[in-house]
């Protein structure tokens, strides 16, 4: 039984087949990447797996349980968290509050019971705060805990978003372009963090345009083009696959990875 088992997932928007019959698996502690040109269907696939879009057909299993179409909160309680391509951090809340919001996603009770201020809830809030602080410490963000998220640099915001997703204590983490817009140092930090999380047993599903990062980190790569899986395999295999080179790592892809490499220097 795999941590994540995606079987024949498809979705169409009107006449557009955005994703067609995509299948793959992610095991605990494994880093699997999805690559493909702009508009290939990567984020749409993420949106179906994480419960934001209901697939037209196909099935998603988490730890053997069929979870297709369950809302994100229900998936969070079952161990699936994600980040977004465009940051979804609450800018006016403090860094600590952002991570605490993530903790609540993984819990059965939430903000409402906190608002009621019941003693059990107050105890839980303290425990949540402690857990969030420990996580900020681990992510090297503790010194920012009481500052509003809006005070953070872009790279730190990307890190905070990963922190918020981790607060729900996921077994599977979906990262949508975690290094986009980051400088070389920030990208290296994200790289090291992803390796550390996988080593701790978390399954990682990654969408990323930075080919160097993808090739370095991934155990397995899935290539999408116009919503269809055109190749999959180990990084060495994908890097040499003529179909992939034609569709993605050809002119357009090379331009992108060179741009990525240049921004890393
Ligand atoms: N809610 C939606 N309604 C209609 N079309 C959509 C919707 N979401 C995605 N699409 C379309 O599905 C296709 C795949 O888009 P998607 O954002 O998944 O691509 P992507 O591979 O993530 O691209 P990028 O690398 O640019 O982020 C695109 O043609 C997009 O316009």
């Amino acid at each position: 039984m795999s941590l994540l088992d995606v079987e024949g997932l498809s979705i169409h928007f009107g006449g557009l087949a955005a994703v067609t019959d995509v299948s793959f698996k992610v095991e605990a502690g494994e880093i699997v990447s999805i690559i493909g040109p702009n508009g290939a269907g990567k984020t749409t696939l993420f949106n179906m797996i994480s419960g934001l879009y209901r697939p037209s057909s196909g099935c998603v299993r988490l730890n053997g349980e069929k979870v297709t179409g369950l809302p994100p909160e229900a998936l969070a309680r079952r161990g699936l968290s994600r980040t977004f391509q465009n940051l979804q951090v609450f800018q006016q809340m403090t860094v600590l509050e952002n991570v605490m919001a993530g903790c609540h996603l993984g819990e059965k009770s939430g903000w409402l019971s906190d608002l009621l201020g019941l003693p059990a809830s107050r105890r839980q809030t303290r425990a949540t705060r402690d857990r969030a602080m420990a996580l900020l410490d681990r992510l090297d963000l503790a010194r920012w805990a009481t500052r509003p998220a809006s005070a953070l640099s872009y790279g730190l915001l990307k890190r905070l978003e990963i922190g918020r997703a981790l607060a729900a204590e996921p077994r599977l983490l979906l990262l949508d372009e975690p290094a986009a817009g980051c400088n070389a140092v920030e990208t290296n930090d994200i790289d090291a963090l992803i390796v550390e999380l996988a080593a701790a047993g978390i399954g990682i599903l990654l969408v990323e345009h930075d080919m160097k990062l993808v090739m370095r980190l991934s155990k397995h790569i899935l290539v999408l083009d116009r919503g269809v899986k055109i190749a999959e395999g180990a990084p060495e295999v994908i890097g040499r696959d003529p179909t992939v080179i034609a569709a993605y790592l050809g002119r357009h892809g090379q331009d992108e990875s060179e741009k990525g490499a240049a921004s890393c220097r």
Side-chain angles (χ1 to χ4, degrees):
M1 183 177 68
S2 299
L3 176 58
L4 176 73
D5 189 346
V6 170
E7 212 179 287
L9 224 48
S10 301
I11 191 166
H12 44 81
F13 301 108
L16 174 78
V19 173
T20 306
D21 196 23
V22 171
S23 301
F24 65 96
K25 295 178 199 293
V26 181
E27 308 297 341
E30 197 175 71
I31 302 172
V32 175
S33 295
I34 305 171
I35 64 169
N38 293 113
K42 306 178 294 292
T43 296
T44 303
L45 188 56
F46 258 36
N47 287 344
M48 287 191 282
I49 297 168
S50 61
L52 291 180
Y53 289 170
R54 182 174 281 275
S56 309
S57 58
C59 178
V60 180
R61 283 196 179 79
L62 198 58
N63 275 310
E65 183 191 2
K66 193 171 167 187
V67 295
T68 327
L70 286 187
E73 316 79 68
L75 291 170
R77 286 196 294 275
R78 286 166 173 78
L80 184 153
S81 291
R82 72 167 288 180
T83 65
F84 291 84
Q85 192 175 337
N86 305 311
L87 287 168
Q88 302 273 313
V89 165
F90 302 116
Q91 297 281 348
Q92 303 314 318
M93 282 166 52
T94 67
V95 167
L96 178 63
E97 285 163 350
N98 265 281
V99 175
M100 287 177 71
C103 292
H104 282 293
L105 262 183
E107 291 163 355
K108 291 216 163 51
S109 64
W111 294 109
L112 184 61
S113 52
D114 276 2
L115 279 175
L116 294 174
L118 304 172
S121 167
R122 280 204 295 272
R123 262 199 310 280
Q124 186 175 342
T125 305
R126 263 197 307 277
T128 303
R129 181 179 295 267
D130 291 347
R131 198 150 62 78
M133 268 317 292
L135 189 52
L136 287 177
D137 215 20
R138 186 173 159 205
L139 293 170
D140 211 12
L141 285 171
R143 82 193 100 131
W144 298 93
T146 56
R147 303 290 308 280
S150 56
L152 297 189
S153 68
Y154 186 76
L156 290 180
L157 281 173
K158 293 290 265 187
R159 213 170 166 74
L160 173 59
E161 197 175 49
I162 296 179
R164 203 180 53 178
L166 284 175
E169 301 185 338
R171 286 196 270 181
L172 176 71
L173 182 61
L174 275 56
L175 298 173
D176 198 348
E177 301 201 27
C182 291
N183 63 31
V185 175
E186 292 162 345
T187 301
N188 281 341
D189 286 349
I190 297 278
D191 179 320
L193 178 60
I194 294 172
V195 169
E196 185 190 320
L197 296 175
I202 298 177
I204 309 278
L205 185 59
L206 179 68
V207 165
E208 181 54 61
H209 281 284
D210 183 333
M211 282 305 124
K212 284 189 166 177
L213 187 86
V214 167
M215 293 292 169
R216 199 164 51 233
L217 292 185
S218 313
K219 168 145 196 284
H220 193 80
I221 298 175
L222 208 79
V223 189
L224 293 187
D225 189 22
R226 297 184 198 123
V228 176
K229 181 172 74 178
I230 57 163
E232 67 177 315
E236 318 78 76
V237 178
I238 292 302
R240 287 196 305 265
D241 187 314
T243 324
V244 177
I245 293 166
Y248 185 68
L249 295 174
R251 216 185 127 50
H252 166 80
Q254 240 152 22
D255 287 352
E256 282 223 8
S257 63
E258 273 160 20
K259 257 193 275 159
S263 73
C264 286
R265 283 195 278 269

